[in-house]
Amino acid sequence: AVFFWGTSSSFTPYFQMQPIRILFPALALFLVTRYLLDNRTILYYPIHLVGAVALLWNFEIGLPLFFCWLFQLTFLELFAPNVKTAVWNILRHYATGAGCAFLAFSLYAIVIRCAYGSFPNFNLVLLTLKMTSLGAFALPVPLLHPWNFLPLLYLTGLLVGVRCVLRRTPSPQDSLILYCAMWGCATFGYYIGRSHNLNLIAINREFIFLLVLIADRFWQAAHTPVAPPVWRLPHQRLFLAILFYFLVMPFAEMPCALQTWAEVVKSRWTEPQDNQPAPVQDLEFIRKHTQPGERILIFSENNGAYYAETQ
């Protein structure tokens, strides 16, 4: 067996994140947005099914997606006219979610049984969680870092939901803000487990989406004649602090960025460049050091492409 760690270009698709960990969250976010803003109750069961299938697609992303939807429905039931109705509806939501999950797993097991002659081992869906819980691929979390602002914004979104409950004034926009905040808290754990800067970039889509939603909400509140001053609302003060950071930091980082870009441009002009991209060089390396029919094991971000091209 040949063990190979291939280098990858920044433009090469990183399938573990795109589309594996983006497909179902993006679909769920679209459906939940339509459900909340347009009051499309017809999407109730499709969202449950999307969450159930996401458990099979990628468990560590599907699990928070599945429960964020249930928590969102629980939040909406807090505004029911009486406690009995709220409790009954909450139980119905969770029973529906469990039923959809059971249906998805059952159909998947039947299909696998018919296609391959044996039932799937569902314990394998926990394999990644077991490995990461033991510290595999873990990186230490830096103390002072741009990640500090992600939980602050998610806290802002959660405070919006708390404010709705205390004032008994629900709105579709605030419900969507709460959903994005809960989903952001869930995906933030992915960065905490492996605190690499690229992982922070990969999970900031919820942060940006939530930033836009809260900015729009803040703009509406600021232009309401009866709106209280912003310094009286803690979640708006917190949002202003985060927004100020993002407006100021690009200028503060500009000297460092200019120095970095100068070094990159200098290296491009002074160092010889290979016209072939890194994946092509990696494939040539594999073909050169292996024999036809030899079984090899490839460790690389692009292992799927390398396996396909070397069959």
Side-chain angles (χ1 to χ4, degrees), residues 92-130:
R92 180 173 60 87
H93 295 322
Y94 280 81
T96 303
C100 290
F102 178 78
L103 178 63
F105 276 75
S106 299
L107 291 178
Y108 177 77
I110 293 173
V111 170
I112 296 300
R113 178 67 174 82
C114 295
Y116 300 102
S118 62
F119 288 103
N121 183 5
F122 287 113
N123 290 328
L124 294 178
V125 300
L126 301 175
L127 180 60
T128 302
L129 294 179
K130 291 179 180 178

Side-chain angles (χ1 to χ4, degrees), residues 149-280:
F149 290 91
L150 271 72
L152 289 178
L153 186 66
Y154 299 150
L155 177 61
T156 303
L158 296 177
L159 288 175
V160 171
V162 172
R163 179 173 177 268
C164 289
V165 174
L166 295 179
R167 295 193 174 188
R168 308 290 297 178
T169 56
S171 70
Q173 293 82 3
D174 291 343
S175 298
L176 184 58
I177 288 175
L178 179 63
Y179 176 81
C180 293
M182 291 189 296
W183 177 239
C185 292
T187 57
F188 182 67
Y190 186 82
Y191 171 77
I192 295 298
R194 179 171 171 80
S195 303
H196 193 283
N197 289 338
L198 295 181
N199 284 343
L200 184 62
I201 296 174
I203 66 166
N204 68 0
R205 57 187 181 274
E206 292 83 10
F207 178 84
I208 296 175
F209 193 77
L210 185 59
L211 191 67
V212 173
L213 288 175
I214 297 181
D216 179 70
R217 185 70 176 84
F218 176 76
W219 181 265
Q220 294 178 8
H223 286 75
T224 301
V226 295
V230 296
W231 53 83
R232 296 182 185 176
L233 303 178
H235 64 282
Q236 291 188 351
R237 285 186 291 175
L238 189 58
F239 169 74
L240 284 177
I242 299 171
L243 185 61
F244 176 78
Y245 168 82
F246 277 93
L247 292 176
V248 172
M249 282 307 296
F251 298 98
E253 293 289 339
M254 191 173 295
C256 298
L258 291 176
Q259 181 181 358
T260 302
W261 278 107
E263 294 175 355
V264 171
V265 172
K266 181 180 178 181
S267 64
R268 292 290 184 179
W269 282 99
T270 57
E271 298 178 3
Q273 299 294 321
D274 197 325
N275 293 328
Q276 290 184 332
V280 175

Side-chain angles (χ1 to χ4, degrees), residues 8 15 46 48 59-60 147 155 231 306:
S8 63
F15 294 106
H48 274 294
F59 189 77
E60 61 266 23
W147 73 260
L155 177 61
W231 53 83
Y306 294 154

Side-chain angles (χ1 to χ4, degrees), residues 282-301:
D282 297 340
L283 286 171
E284 292 180 354
F285 178 89
I286 296 174
R287 295 190 180 102
K288 182 179 179 180
H289 293 83
T290 57
Q291 300 296 328
E294 181 181 357
R295 299 182 63 183
I296 64 174
L297 182 61
I298 302 175
F299 288 99
S300 170
E301 293 180 351

Side-chain angles (χ1 to χ4, degrees), residues 13-33:
Y14 184 51
F15 294 106
Q16 291 95 318
M17 184 60 65
Q18 303 171 359
I20 299 298
R21 290 183 172 90
I22 288 183
L23 178 61
F24 278 90
L27 178 60
L29 181 59
F30 172 76
L31 295 177
V32 172
T33 301

